[in-house]
Amino acid sequence: MMSVLWAILFASVAFFSLASSMCPESIHTVSIVSRCPSNAMEWKSAAERKKCDFLGKIQNCTQAENFVYHCVLNKETTELLELCAPVWFMAGYCARFSEVNKRIINDPGLDCTKFDSPCPSRFPSNESYKYQTCYRGINNKKSVFQQRMSVDCNTSTTSAFAVSFGILALLLLLCLVGIKLKWIKITILCLKKNDIEKQTEDQNEAVETLLLKANEEKNEGGEMTREMENICSEKAEESRQFRIRSLSGDIEDCCSFKGVKTIGDLRDLLSAKIKKPKEILLIVNKEEGIIFNDETEIKTSKVISSELMIGNQDRMTKTVDDKTVVDDVISNRCLTRGKCQMSCGDWTAPNTLFDWTKEKLPGALTKGLPCPKCGKMWDVDELIQRCKMSPDERLFFKSVEIIIKQNAELVK
């Protein structure tokens, strides 16, 4: 009996993973264009016109910063499509949009690695403008892709069957197992998500009502009264929301812009919501290795797409406490307890070392930090260990390590 249940569970996971990669929100953004951008500047201009960044905040199929502008081929490679969609890594094929899969896909019939100006074997779909050969002869029925294999029809039947079977299998599994407590947890999560969505809809409806009222209360010159301008501005600010998640994914929440102007305001808000000290909550951009300071305005695009780094609240526990007095190599203070010894033999404290790492390592060109006294290099792994970094901090500084290596290669 248990083997049957495990088989059903495995099948459900497999089929739902297929369905989870779909993004229905992209369908409504599709429009046919005569040409695609041919360089980064044109691409940026087209992206601003399409406003995918705004739509990214209200869709549910991916993270907001990942829902971006694309210009790709259609199924028959006879038309060019502009749309907003999640970034998909191409495996050496020209990017195209599939209405069946509801996302950008890799089509083996669109191999671009064999062109005179070949594309790489791996590139993000939103950088398709770099490979203009993909768009060549788009209006010619005898295009270079006429002989490619089309698999969408089969995929349509398979995908529909996969989703249906997955739903039935999961329902059967829940009925057979009947774990009541887990079912209650799932229900609570679903209700929480629905409540957030309904709250946002109600807020948007309230703003629309105010705008209509403002339109009715225009003065004789046809301009909105100052009072209504202020009310509409305040309500619109209250209705705007953004999502914040921790690097490890343990915490994800929806926050209102009301009263949030800077990173410092956001840290205060998150501290109150998740019941953790503000001192261990930092707002970062892991992909670029940035830690934002409290004065940074929250409305910039880079901040909106940022993540929460939760630090170690117990960084100073389990440190060396042998009553001997040593000099802190970083702060030059005398230490008797709460200290750690580095590989070069010098001493410091975990909290002092973390503050120093946080300040010096992002943007550095060396694969670690040198000891201020003897100059011996402390690599990133040693810094992570001696600072007693949390899971979020480990993820961030390992990403910083990768960025440092990439920057060092560019400098050579």
Side-chain angles (χ1 to χ4, degrees):
M1 182 65 178
M2 287 304 296
S3 61
V4 174
L5 292 178
W6 280 113
I8 294 174
L9 178 60
F10 178 80
S12 301
V13 172
F15 285 125
F16 272 109
S17 65
L18 174 63
S20 64
S21 65
M22 296 182 177
C23 188
E25 287 91 338
S26 294
I27 295 290
H28 306 293
T29 68
V30 175
S31 58
I32 300 173
V33 293
S34 58
R35 65 182 294 272
C36 285
S38 59
N39 54 54
M41 186 174 297
E42 289 184 2
W43 193 272
K44 182 179 179 181
S45 177
E48 291 175 352
R49 184 186 71 252
K50 195 72 173 176
K51 300 188 184 303
C52 296
D53 55 342
F54 172 77
L55 296 174
K57 299 170 188 174
I58 58 177
Q59 52 79 39
N60 296 311
C61 57
T62 186
Q63 295 181 11
E65 65 270 21
N66 197 38
F67 193 75
V68 299
Y69 170 82
H70 285 79
C71 190
V72 298
L73 299 165
N74 70 342
K75 174 184 173 182
E76 294 78 18
T77 67
T78 56
E79 292 177 326
L80 297 172
L81 307 178
E82 270 192 347
L83 68 148
C84 303
V87 175
W88 197 262
F89 274 93
M90 311 311 298
Y93 307 120
C94 294
R96 84 166 179 88
F97 181 70
S98 169
E99 292 187 2
V100 174
N101 297 84
K102 297 180 177 59
R103 62 172 172 81
I104 306 297
I105 67 168
N106 280 292
D107 188 331
L110 304 181
D111 190 346
C112 56
T113 60
K114 299 177 181 178
F115 290 154
D116 293 337
S117 299
C119 65
S121 58
R122 180 176 171 83
F123 65 92
S125 55
N126 63 328
E127 293 185 3
S128 294
Y129 68 87
K130 296 180 180 179
Y131 315 108
Q132 288 293 307
T133 314
C134 287
Y135 307 136
R136 185 182 301 166
I138 196 64
N139 294 318
N140 183 356
K141 291 183 179 180
K142 294 182 179 180
S143 67
V144 292
F145 300 122
Q146 188 178 16
Q147 301 300 320
R148 68 180 177 82
M149 294 186 299
S150 177
V151 295
D152 269 15
C153 291
N154 292 334
T155 306
S156 176
T157 304
T158 303
S159 299
F161 174 77
V163 174
S164 300
F165 182 86
I167 293 173
L168 292 174
L170 186 59
L171 289 174
L172 177 61
L173 181 64
L174 290 173
C175 291
L176 291 174
V177 178
I179 305 177
K180 186 175 180 182
L181 290 177
K182 290 188 177 180
W183 170 252
I184 292 172
K185 289 181 180 179
I186 293 171
T187 304
I188 291 172
L189 289 173
C190 292
L191 286 174
K192 182 179 179 182
K193 181 179 179 182
N194 291 337
D195 287 344
I196 291 174
E197 291 176 351
K198 188 176 186 306
Q199 181 183 4
T200 303
E201 290 176 1
D202 292 343
Q203 288 172 333
N204 291 337
E205 184 178 347
V207 174
E208 291 176 2
T209 303
L210 278 168
L211 290 173
L212 289 173
K213 183 178 179 182
N215 191 49
E216 294 172 356
E217 296 185 11
K218 287 181 179 178
N219 58 25
E220 294 179 357
E223 296 180 354
M224 192 183 298
T225 62
R226 184 175 298 277
E227 180 182 0
M228 287 308 299
E229 281 184 350
N230 293 336
I231 293 174
C232 289
S233 177
E234 291 174 4
K235 289 296 182 181
E237 190 72 10
E238 290 178 14
S239 69
R240 293 180 62 207
Q241 294 192 344
F242 62 95
R243 291 187 180 183
I244 192 81
R245 69 187 296 275
S246 63
L247 293 177
S248 59
D250 293 339
I251 292 178
E252 184 169 3
D253 211 333
C254 197
C255 300
S256 170
F257 272 103
K258 183 180 179 181
V260 178
K261 304 295 183 183
T262 65
I263 288 294
D265 296 334
L266 179 56
R267 291 175 66 207
D268 288 332
L269 173 65
L270 292 172
S271 176
K273 289 194 76 169
I274 66 177
K275 310 299 182 185
K276 289 185 181 292
K278 176 181 177 180
E279 292 71 24
I280 68 168
L281 303 179
L282 295 174
I283 309 301
V284 302
N285 185 320
K286 182 170 74 76
E287 299 303 320
E288 297 185 21
I290 297 174
I291 301 176
F292 294 102
N293 58 44
D294 281 352
E295 291 73 31
T296 303
E297 290 189 1
I298 201 68
K299 293 183 180 179
T300 63
S301 59
K302 285 187 178 180
V303 174
I304 291 300
S305 62
S306 301
E307 295 173 291
L308 173 65
M309 182 168 74
I310 302 176
N312 182 5
Q313 195 169 346
D314 303 315
R315 203 182 304 280
M316 295 300 292
T317 61
K318 298 181 180 178
T319 52
V320 177
D321 187 13
D322 57 5
K323 306 302 182 183
T324 58
V325 180
V326 296
D327 291 329
D328 188 323
V329 72
I330 296 175
S331 67
N332 294 320
R333 293 179 300 180
C334 292
L335 298 175
T336 56
R337 59 181 182 177
K339 54 194 175 184
C340 61
Q341 189 173 27
M342 305 303 291
S343 58
C344 63
D346 289 311
W347 293 83
T348 186
N351 56 354
T352 304
L353 180 61
F354 179 76
D355 290 340
W356 194 62
T357 301
K358 180 179 65 175
E359 177 186 354
K360 301 290 185 181
L361 193 59
L365 290 176
T366 55
K367 298 178 181 179
L369 294 175
C371 172
K373 183 177 180 181
C374 67
K376 182 178 177 180
M377 192 66 66
W378 302 333
D379 63 27
V380 174
D381 288 334
E382 181 177 3
L383 294 172
I384 288 174
Q385 182 181 2
R386 296 293 191 273
C387 289
K388 299 185 177 179
M389 291 190 186
S390 67
D392 280 6
E393 291 168 342
R394 289 170 181 263
L395 288 170
F396 177 77
F397 283 103
K398 290 302 285 186
S399 180
V400 168
E401 182 182 26
I402 294 172
I403 294 171
I404 289 173
K405 290 178 181 178
Q406 293 172 344
N407 291 341
E409 290 295 324
L410 293 175
V411 172
K412 288 182 180 179

